[in-house]
Amino acid sequence: KVPFTGLPGTNYERTFIAIKPDGTERRLVGEIIGRFEKKGFKLVGIKILHPTPEQAAKHYDDLKSKPFFDGLVKYFSSGAVVCMVWEGKDVVKTGRKLIGETNPALSVPGSIRGDLCIEVGRNIIHGSDSTQSANDEITLWFGETEVTNYESPLEKFIYERK
Ligand code: IDP
Ligand code: MG
């Protein structure tokens, strides 16, 4: 049985990806899911919810000393967020590459932020920045029974060896 935060000690990881309220409002959910899906990553958890300011503050706890923290909490709790767990080889690091830089203005075209948004305070998507924060964030947003395991026969076409 795969632990719900992913297989420890391997590159076969899980990451927490969230479409922020602006991404959901702008109807970018399908576009964003499509990019992770087409890459070959596997969706193992998904739900939509409207975070409380307390949940948002907990999620961004490491940034609480930043001047933009209050605005960030307000932004993240301003509407519906699509919370997801994606699984695959090096998905934490590669997921961040698919997303782009924190500031959309510095994100290359082809990345999600580079293609779909303009300002750092409205950058439409969150992705875990390390396997440790991925584990913490999956545990914060999902219950153990809300993340699934399934084998896909397709994986032999995505991975040379599994
Ligand atoms: P990340 O989302 O790329 O991991 P972090 O540095 O973890 O970036 O910051 C979390 C979020 O806080 C960013 O995605 C962005 O929405 C917001 N943020 C970061 N820096 C600024 C800033 O300078 N002004 C306003 N918002 C910011
Ligand atoms: Mg971050």
Side-chain angles (χ1 to χ4, degrees):
K1 185 174 176 284
V2 182
F4 98 114
T5 53
L7 277 175
T10 72
N11 287 333
Y12 202 65
E13 304 164 340
R14 289 175 174 183
T15 193
F16 176 72
I17 300 292
I19 304 173
K20 295 174 177 179
D22 49 341
T24 307
E25 283 290 345
R26 291 180 51 203
R27 315 297 194 253
L28 294 173
V29 174
E31 168 76 30
I32 290 169
I33 289 178
R35 290 182 180 218
F36 278 83
E37 227 175 19
K38 278 176 257 179
K39 176 72 176 167
F41 292 130
K42 186 160 77 173
L43 183 61
V44 294
I46 184 165
K47 62 181 170 185
I48 185 164
L49 53 84
H50 187 146
T52 63
E54 292 72 28
Q55 282 176 305
K58 205 165 176 193
H59 174 73
Y60 282 121
D61 187 61
D62 57 319
L63 299 173
K64 60 175 179 284
S65 62
K66 301 283 185 192
F68 57 83
F69 182 73
D70 289 350
L72 176 59
V73 167
K74 212 169 164 188
Y75 163 42
F76 200 78
S77 60
S78 67
V81 168
V82 178
C83 298
M84 295 178 280
V85 181
W86 285 89
E87 183 182 280
K89 185 178 183 187
D90 286 322
V91 68
V92 175
K93 207 186 206 176
T94 306
R96 294 279 295 191
K97 284 191 185 153
L98 291 179
I99 289 171
E101 300 298 319
T102 301
N103 185 348
L106 303 176
S107 301
V108 290
S111 65
I112 291 167
R113 285 171 177 163
D115 285 346
L116 303 173
C117 55
I118 295 171
E119 289 198 326
V120 69
R122 294 290 182 271
N123 62 0
I124 70 170
I125 183 167
H126 166 84
S128 307
D129 63 6
S130 67
T131 51
Q132 182 57 57
S133 60
N135 280 11
D136 294 345
E137 291 167 4
I138 292 167
T139 308
L140 176 65
W141 291 103
F142 284 88
E144 226 168 302
T145 58
E146 293 178 315
V147 179
T148 186
N149 292 303
Y150 59 95
E151 282 299 319
S152 159
L154 244 161
E155 279 165 39
K156 70 168 186 272
F157 300 107
I158 295 170
Y159 297 106
E160 204 173 2
R161 191 192 305 134
K162 232 197 89 197

